[in-house]
Every structure is written in C-alpha cells, then in structure tokens.
Amino acid sequence: MAEFTMELSDEQKEVRDWLHGFAADVIRPAAAEWDEREETPWPVIQEAAKVGIYSLDFYAQQYFDSTGLGIPMAMEELFWGDAGIALSIVGTGLAAVGVLANGTEEQIGTWIPQMYGDANDVKVAAFCSSEPDAGSDVASMRTRAVYDEAKDEWVLNGTKTWATNGGIANVHVVVAVVDAELGSKGHASFIVPPGTPGLSQGQKFKKHGIRASHTAEVVLDNVRVPGSCLLGGKEKLDARLARAREKAKKGGGERVKNAAMATFEASRPAVGAMAVGTARAAYEVALEYAQTREQFGRPIIDNQGVAFQLADMRTSIDAARLLVWRASWMAINGKPFTAAEGSMSKLFASETAKKVTAQAVQILGGNGYTREYPVERMHRDSAIYTIFEGTSEIQRLVIARTLAGMPIR
C-alpha cells in the first residue's frame, strides 16, 4: 500500500508538467473556436494521439499509479486547458473502462484498439447508459437485450441519451436490461461494432457548456450483435444472474445494490478533479486580472472586497483538490468509503467550480461577461459538474444515507 503524501514524485511532476504544456500550447488556443463551432475537435484529438495522451496505454499508466494520484492529476491539467476539448479527449476512456472491467481478454484485445484508432486515423468510442427516464434511477432502464439462441445473437432495442460521442463513435458500449425482475442487477453490457445496422444517432444536444464535446441520443432499433459481443460472455452472465436471483430470494438484494454503488462511487473523484481544473483556470485568470486592472489609480486586488474573494477561491480549490486526492488514494488502496468520501470529493469540487467561476466573472466585471475573456466559457462549462456522474443532490443523498447507516437505493 502506498503511503499517503501530498508531495508528487519526480516522475509524477514530469507527467504533470508535460500535460500542462499540452493543455497550454494546444488545448487553450483552440478552446474558443471549438466552443463556438460546437463540434468534435478532431485535430486536437489527433495531436493528443500523436504525443501519446490519447491512448489506452497512457490512461492505464495513470490508473495503476499506486498513489492513486495519476488520474486526478491528469484530469486537472487537461480540464485546466478547456473542459469541452478535454472531455473529447478523455470521453473514449469511459467506454474503454467498461470493456476492461467486464470484458474477456479476447474482447479487450479486439475492441479497445478500435476505440482509439491511431494518430493518422483517430477514432472515438461511446459509453451508453443513461436514458430519457433513467439517469440517476438506473433501475428504470428500458433498453432491452433479448438473446436469439438459434442465431447466437443479441437483439437490442431502446434509446440512450446524454451519450458522449454517441452516434459518431466507432464502437459503442451499450448497457441493457436482460432480466427486468432483478432491477440494476439484471443489466449487461454489449459491444456494438462499427457499422452495425439499426444503430443511429438521435438528437444532438446543443449545450450550455462543454460544447466541444459531442453529446447525443443513440437509437437502437432491432440492433443485432453476435453473442461474442456480450461483455464477459454468456456463461459468466448466466452465473451472475443466478446468484442475483438467489440473493433476491434470501432478501440480499439491498446488499448487492450497495456493493454496486460503492464501485460506482469510486469513479467520482475523477470528475471532482475535472472540476478542480476548471476552477483553478478561472481563479488564475481572475488573479492576473486583479493584479493588472487598475481603478482609482491602483490595482483592484488592493480592494479588500476583491482580495477576499480571491482568498476564498484559492482556499476552496485547494480544499477540493485534497478531498479528491484523499478519495483517489483510498480507492486505489482498497480503503472502504465509510463516509462516502468519493461522493464528498465530487460534491465539494463540483460546487466549488460553479462558485469560483462565477466569482471570476464578477471580478472581471463587464469583461468577464463577454467571450473576449475565457471565464465566461469556464462559468458555462462548470455547470455540468454538478449534473453528470450523479447530481449534487444525489451526492448529498449518498453521503447522508451512508452516515446514517442506511441502504443506498
């Protein structure tokens, strides 16, 4: 088990500085353009692929960092550059992790390379879980997968929503219901290969923020995929469903749900790190502006009202980062989240990003309200952190029920 420390190693600092340089030199200069265009920034993704950032190898190295700080450090630096472009770069990782967590070695070796492509022909992947009536309430999922034994194929029908890269992805990973009576334990994940008939893009959302990241509905109309596209295989699925049915008979359903929720919670610090990156970026712009902008013959940072805001902003950012680092260290070292520390980090960091970016706009005054300065975009981008990967209200619910010793539904 790695000792907890707030000091990065020389190797971690080197990676951090490398990522920061890419964010400053490549992502930042392109941010405003792709936000206005509301399109996937393919040239930037290609540049990330060329230097090795857009690759499974890079994220695997950060994920298996024994301190747990590799992923949050990477997320903070990339999202410091720009949230929309950064999400376009890291979004494929959601689908890749889904395959890594549930797939066989053959499935991992077959499909993950097709998710990324290469530096000359980059691809993206989409993880499709949320539905119009099933966001936080995953038990209400309606997309169905029915096994056609005669053809050894699964038939998928339903509509997914809020899918990053949905419809433009080379590979889609789709979560569907295989046994409705088991609730969330009756779900399974499927690979939908490139060019599969019946899969189409539905509505592409025009968003308030993170506009360089493609978000759309994915429609599945009698989509047939080979039996080999069930992640983990049918034998493993049948065994898991049998155990779930047996536990349900014995009244163990809640304990099963809680275990699943604990796994889900472990991923939330990464979103917290994204929020820290955006908040830090806005704070740095506001600090520089306050040091150089003069009113009444002196820099506005000399005014206590502005200086105190900056003090609060920096304090909240540092506190958020520490919560993220603590949860990330706990997760990689198998420490149980007895007080929902994962949700704590995501909740505080997300709310911090919204507050800090709003304060940055206020410090810049009229300039902050225009698109001539990046804090306007950062403020719009920050709103997503309190919504995706569980809203702030869901985080508070998880924390409260955990503290009370109650089951998390």
Side-chain angles (χ1 to χ4, degrees):
M1 181 177 69
E3 180 181 353
F4 180 76
T5 176
M6 291 184 288
E7 180 66 27
L8 297 177
S9 68
D10 290 341
E11 182 179 354
Q12 288 172 322
K13 290 177 182 177
E14 184 177 346
V15 173
R16 179 199 62 192
D17 294 345
W18 171 56
L19 290 169
H20 185 80
F22 183 85
D25 297 339
V26 181
I27 294 178
R28 275 273 175 102
E33 175 188 352
W34 292 99
D35 176 74
E36 289 287 344
R37 291 174 63 167
E38 298 191 54
E39 296 174 358
T40 300
W42 292 106
V44 183
I45 299 174
Q46 187 172 37
E47 288 301 311
K50 287 179 179 178
V51 300
I53 293 174
Y54 185 69
S55 70
L56 177 65
D57 288 344
F58 171 74
Y59 290 106
Q61 289 173 12
Q62 303 315 308
Y63 180 81
F64 290 111
D65 180 341
S66 62
T67 68
L69 302 185
I71 289 295
M73 180 184 65
M75 295 300 106
E76 179 176 339
E77 294 304 329
L78 292 173
F79 281 74
W80 172 90
D82 177 68
I85 291 178
L87 190 56
S88 291
I89 293 172
V90 307
T92 292
L94 297 173
V97 168
V99 176
L100 282 170
N102 301 298
T104 64
E105 289 187 8
E106 182 179 358
Q107 289 170 331
I108 292 170
T110 298
W111 296 112
I112 290 184
Q114 295 187 51
M115 293 181 174
Y116 286 92
D118 56 48
N120 295 318
D121 185 21
V122 292
K123 305 291 185 183
V124 294
F127 183 74
C128 307
S129 178
S130 294
E131 298 184 1
D133 296 317
S136 300
D137 184 11
V138 295
S140 296
M141 189 176 293
R142 295 180 180 178
T143 296
R144 295 291 190 266
V146 178
Y147 184 56
D148 183 342
E149 188 171 0
K151 295 184 178 180
D152 185 27
E153 292 179 338
W154 287 89
V155 185
L156 280 63
N157 282 283
T159 299
K160 295 295 183 178
T161 193
W162 309 122
T164 299
N165 298 330
I168 66 170
N170 196 45
V171 177
H172 291 76
V173 178
V174 177
V175 182
V177 177
V178 294
D179 188 329
E181 294 183 359
L182 293 177
S184 61
K185 298 305 296 181
H187 298 173
S189 296
F190 299 85
I191 292 285
V192 180
T196 300
L199 184 146
S200 62
Q201 178 183 305
Q203 176 187 5
K204 178 187 175 183
F205 296 103
K206 296 181 70 66
K207 305 187 298 295
H208 177 62
I210 56 168
R211 302 198 305 191
S213 174
H214 177 97
T215 310
E217 290 181 332
V218 174
V219 179
L220 303 145
D221 183 10
N222 286 322
V223 171
R224 285 183 168 268
V225 298
S228 60
C229 287
L230 166 64
L231 289 180
K234 194 168 187 305
E235 183 176 341
K236 182 178 178 181
L237 172 65
D238 289 343
R240 178 167 63 80
L241 294 177
R243 290 195 301 272
R245 293 184 188 111
E246 187 63 27
K247 286 184 179 180
K249 288 180 182 179
K250 295 179 179 179
E254 282 296 346
R255 289 192 292 274
V256 172
K257 284 185 180 180
N258 288 342
M261 182 62 75
T263 300
F264 185 53
E265 164 142 325
S267 68
R268 287 176 172 155
V271 180
M274 298 173 187
V276 170
T278 299
R280 191 184 108 211
Y283 159 77
E284 289 176 1
V285 173
L287 176 62
E288 181 180 5
Y289 186 88
Q291 291 171 328
T292 57
R293 172 69 167 173
E294 291 191 359
Q295 291 285 282
F296 305 105
R298 60 179 182 172
I300 63 173
I301 198 171
D302 288 352
N303 298 313
Q304 193 177 76
V306 173
F308 277 17
Q309 281 196 76
L310 289 163
D312 287 343
M313 292 159 74
R314 177 60 186 267
T315 300
S316 295
I317 291 166
D318 283 9
R321 183 185 296 108
L322 287 175
L323 283 171
V324 167
W325 281 19
R326 179 185 70 167
S328 300
W329 177 84
M330 291 175 69
I332 200 68
N333 287 288
K335 297 287 187 180
F337 286 161
T338 56
E341 287 87 350
S343 285
M344 281 185 184
S345 69
K346 197 268 185 184
L347 170 65
F348 190 80
S350 298
E351 295 292 342
T352 291
K354 284 188 68 174
K355 182 177 180 180
V356 165
T357 55
Q359 288 174 306
V361 170
Q362 189 68 25
I363 289 172
L364 269 68
N367 287 328
Y369 200 65
T370 71
R371 296 190 182 181
E372 295 300 313
Y373 287 80
V375 292
E376 179 272 340
R377 184 180 67 253
M378 294 167 183
H379 183 44
R380 286 187 285 108
D381 290 343
S382 69
I384 193 60
Y385 299 126
T386 62
I387 298 173
F388 70 179
E389 195 81 14
T391 63
S392 287
E393 291 74 21
I394 288 294
Q395 308 309 320
R396 291 186 175 98
L397 177 65
V398 170
I399 296 166
R401 295 183 74 87
T402 301
L403 296 178
M406 301 171 66
I408 302 170
R409 302 180 186 277

